[in-house]
């Protein structure tokens, strides 16, 4: 009997998958720079909105 480790399963599954009609978007790995960019933009937008 063979066993599959959890790490092996995680390597095969996509991180994010979006299916909408004919559009099929699969993201295997989210780059660190993109997380930093989104966080920075969100913080700047939140600060701008709070100061209005």
């Amino acid at each position: 009997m063979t066993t599959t480790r959890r790490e092996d399963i995680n390597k095969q599954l996509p991180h994010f998958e979006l299916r909408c009609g004919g559009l099929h978007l699969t993201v295997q790995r989210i780059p660190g720079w993109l997380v930093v960019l989104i966080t920075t933009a969100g913080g700047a937008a939140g600060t701008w909105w709070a100061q209005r």
Side-chain angles (χ1 to χ4, degrees):
M1 180 183 199
T2 60
T3 58
T4 304
R5 292 185 175 181
R6 184 72 177 154
E7 300 91 30
D8 295 338
I9 293 172
N10 286 339
K11 289 180 183 176
Q12 296 171 357
L13 296 176
H15 189 77
F16 177 77
E17 187 171 5
L18 174 68
R19 292 183 185 205
C20 183
L23 176 68
H24 183 202
L25 176 68
T26 304
V27 178
Q28 289 297 113
R29 175 176 129 4
I30 299 176
W33 63 265
L34 183 59
V35 174
V36 170
L37 180 68
I38 292 171
T39 304
T40 303
T47 302
W48 172 80
W49 185 74
Q51 290 181 355
R52 290 184 353 164

